[in-house]
Amino acid sequence: MSRPVSSPSGPQGGQSPFRFPQRYERIAERLAADIRAGRLTPGERLPSERQLARRLEVGRASVREALAALALRGVLETRPGSGSFVVADALERLAPGTEPVAASDAGPFDLLEARLLLEPGVAALAARRGRRDAEAERLLDAMDVAADDRDRSGWNEGDRRFHRRLAALTSNPVLLGLAEEVATLMDQPLWQRLRDDSILRPERARLHAAEHRMIYEAVVDGDAAAASFYAAQHLERVRRYMTTDQES
């Protein structure tokens, strides 16, 4: 008689026991081990992202993800212009039983890589449909206000919904489904943390808002090449800002 086969997601539908930690999770655990062992002490400033990347022989993007993950856990405090510091009660926050919920298999920079492949094509197809959209224009106006008010939460919500709206303008249900998945990943705390850090300077959010308008106007004009170009340019800037060192 054949034996029942467990679902890949585990018997309770949770995280697969065979999931391999992502690189940033391994880096975060190495830093946590240094704190537990006393090699990094409460109040101590960590080496810069560039120094950590060299020491650990990894990319700075992975280091940034790791630091953000530890900050979300309350183990580190990131101070713009100064760096990352071990908090006073870091050992308590690293005690057994305080482990974070398992992360998605998609890290923030995996998501950006996928968006760079997907969204320029989405913008081009939306441009081939070439029409104005009241909801997209409302979201653009809301992002302008949020950028001026330094409302990062409101800006991020508008950003997520605007990119989903572009997919809706393609009238392609497959692309809309993919955009829904991207929007879900953009709701994850680690993405939100890195994105919030990337727009601490208000001029960055304003520039992103202007880029959104350029994409939209190219869509309305029916200029597929321009829409694709502006979408790719925008996402490259997002990646650059999310990997820019906040210590200087």
Side-chain angles (χ1 to χ4, degrees):
M1 185 173 66
S2 62
R3 180 178 299 175
V5 178
S6 297
S7 163
S9 60
Q12 303 301 321
Q15 192 73 31
S16 168
F18 302 109
R19 176 184 178 274
F20 290 101
Q22 294 191 63
R23 178 173 293 173
Y24 81 84
E25 293 173 297
R26 297 195 298 271
I27 296 168
E29 182 50 40
R30 288 180 66 176
L31 294 173
D34 284 344
I35 295 171
R36 294 189 189 99
R39 290 186 291 271
L40 289 170
T41 58
E44 184 174 349
R45 181 184 185 275
L46 270 68
S48 70
E49 291 173 6
R50 185 176 286 105
Q51 290 170 327
L52 284 171
R54 280 201 301 265
R55 179 184 302 175
L56 300 173
E57 298 182 334
V58 296
R60 285 181 64 191
S62 296
V63 170
R64 169 150 293 203
E65 287 178 321
L67 295 177
L70 288 172
L72 279 172
R73 196 173 172 184
V75 175
L76 299 180
E77 177 189 2
T78 300
R79 303 172 192 168
S82 298
S84 296
F85 296 79
V86 181
V87 302
D89 60 347
L91 288 174
E92 288 85 348
R93 293 177 180 272
L94 290 172
T98 63
E99 292 82 2
V101 175
S104 161
D105 284 334
F109 292 100
D110 295 323
L111 175 57
L112 266 176
E113 188 173 59
R115 290 182 65 190
L116 273 161
L117 290 172
L118 175 67
E119 293 186 20
V122 166
L125 183 56
R128 294 188 184 102
R129 307 289 191 251
R131 64 178 186 272
R132 288 202 167 273
D133 182 76
E135 175 63 10
E137 292 175 6
R138 186 190 69 77
L139 290 169
L140 289 168
D141 290 342
M143 280 186 284
D144 284 342
V145 172
D148 288 340
D149 292 346
R150 301 191 180 190
D151 176 8
R152 285 178 287 168
S153 175
W155 195 93
N156 279 321
E157 174 66 10
D159 174 57
R160 184 176 62 83
R161 293 178 64 186
F162 173 74
H163 286 283
R164 181 193 175 282
R165 189 62 188 168
L166 284 180
L169 292 177
T170 67
S171 301
N172 184 306
V174 175
L175 290 175
L176 182 56
L178 291 171
E180 294 279 11
E181 178 64 18
V182 167
T184 298
L185 292 171
M186 289 171 70
D187 265 342
Q188 292 186 351
L190 186 53
W191 169 274
Q192 295 283 359
R193 172 75 188 217
L194 286 167
R195 191 60 193 271
D196 281 354
D197 286 350
S198 78
I199 55 172
L200 282 173
R201 301 174 188 172
E203 66 272 14
R204 289 183 170 185
R206 294 190 189 102
L207 181 54
H208 285 327
E211 289 173 330
H212 286 154
R213 286 195 178 274
M214 293 169 70
I215 297 166
Y216 175 70
E217 291 302 331
V219 167
V220 171
D221 291 343
D223 190 336
S228 177
F229 173 81
Y230 291 140
Q233 177 180 259
H234 166 62
L235 289 167
E236 286 289 0
R237 193 184 308 277
V238 169
R239 178 159 61 181
R240 188 161 65 251
Y241 284 171
M242 287 180 73
T243 54
T244 296
D245 202 333
Q246 297 290 328
E247 296 163 355
S248 58

